[in-house]
Amino acid sequence: MAAGPDDRADSQSMPIELRFASVLAAPPGVVWERASAVSGANDELWPLAKMTFPFRLDRRTPPEQVVGRDFRTWMLAFGLVPVDRRTMQIEVFEEGRFRECSTSWLQGRSCHERTAVAADRGSTVLTDTLVIESRGRLVDALLRTGTTLTFRRRHRRLRRHFDKASAEVG
């Protein structure tokens, strides 16, 4: 029996698309300095996780050193226990925006774009957009929940960091 159009639609799930945005109490350059650095990402993840990286990456890294190159990272639970291996490629790395796509043991293929855009009164809107290829309903539910919890926590840590930094300056 041949599969009809409706059968194909059921067998191929849609990608998971998630978006997280925060208004941070600092100008875009200050936010981007932290938001584009591996050390900043690791602070957002800490103490639950840490990501290894084969080289330093921050806003001073020339894009030609990273854009289009494949590299591997480990996701370490509690900074110690390897739980996922990723092969990443940074597609865009410019002031105020990066986009990386990766494949991993746990997630399959995913893309993450982060932007920092000027907002009112010297603040910045930082947005993370993720697209994760579907791996089936059960895995999708777990990935959606885990990714949502992780990025909500990352944004809480960012807001706390910049609110505290603003309070110290003000």
Side-chain angles (χ1 to χ4, degrees):
M1 176 195 244
D6 293 334
D7 295 332
R8 281 192 302 273
D10 286 343
S11 66
Q12 291 187 354
S13 300
M14 299 294 291
I16 300 168
E17 297 183 24
L18 301 169
R19 185 174 172 274
F20 306 89
S22 293
V23 177
L24 304 173
V30 173
V31 169
W32 196 244
E33 180 72 30
R34 182 177 183 86
S36 66
V38 173
S39 59
N42 280 333
D43 184 66
E44 294 167 30
L45 294 165
W46 191 255
L48 302 177
K50 176 183 175 183
M51 180 177 65
T52 66
F53 219 73
F55 52 87
R56 179 177 169 83
L57 179 65
D58 62 24
R59 70 187 281 186
R60 292 179 297 275
T61 304
E64 60 273 9
Q65 288 185 9
V66 294
V67 172
R69 284 182 50 197
D70 284 347
F71 52 92
R72 292 213 163 117
T73 68
W74 283 101
M75 187 60 71
L76 305 173
F78 308 106
L80 299 171
V81 181
V83 293
D84 196 15
R85 181 75 162 158
R86 291 183 167 278
T87 300
M88 302 176 80
Q89 185 177 85
I90 297 180
E91 295 180 346
V92 176
F93 187 65
E94 59 193 25
E95 189 70 22
R97 179 174 174 243
F98 75 71
R99 177 179 165 84
E100 64 86 7
C101 291
S102 61
T103 56
S104 85
W105 290 347
L106 295 177
Q107 285 189 324
R109 181 167 166 75
S110 64
C111 292
H112 172 208
E113 183 168 7
R114 177 170 268 191
T115 60
V117 178
D120 294 338
R121 298 186 191 112
S123 64
T124 301
V125 176
L126 184 82
T127 305
D128 287 299
T129 305
L130 296 104
V131 179
I132 304 167
E133 287 185 8
S134 175
R135 297 189 61 146
R137 289 183 185 168
L138 178 60
V139 175
D140 288 359
L142 294 171
L143 283 174
R144 180 182 298 274
T145 300
T147 303
T148 297
L149 291 172
T150 298
F151 272 85
R152 283 182 180 164
R153 184 176 184 284
R154 289 180 72 170
H155 277 253
R156 272 194 312 274
R157 288 185 59 90
L158 281 162
R159 288 190 302 271
R160 188 176 318 134
H161 171 81
F162 286 106
D163 285 349
K164 182 179 177 186
S166 296
E168 290 173 357
V169 172

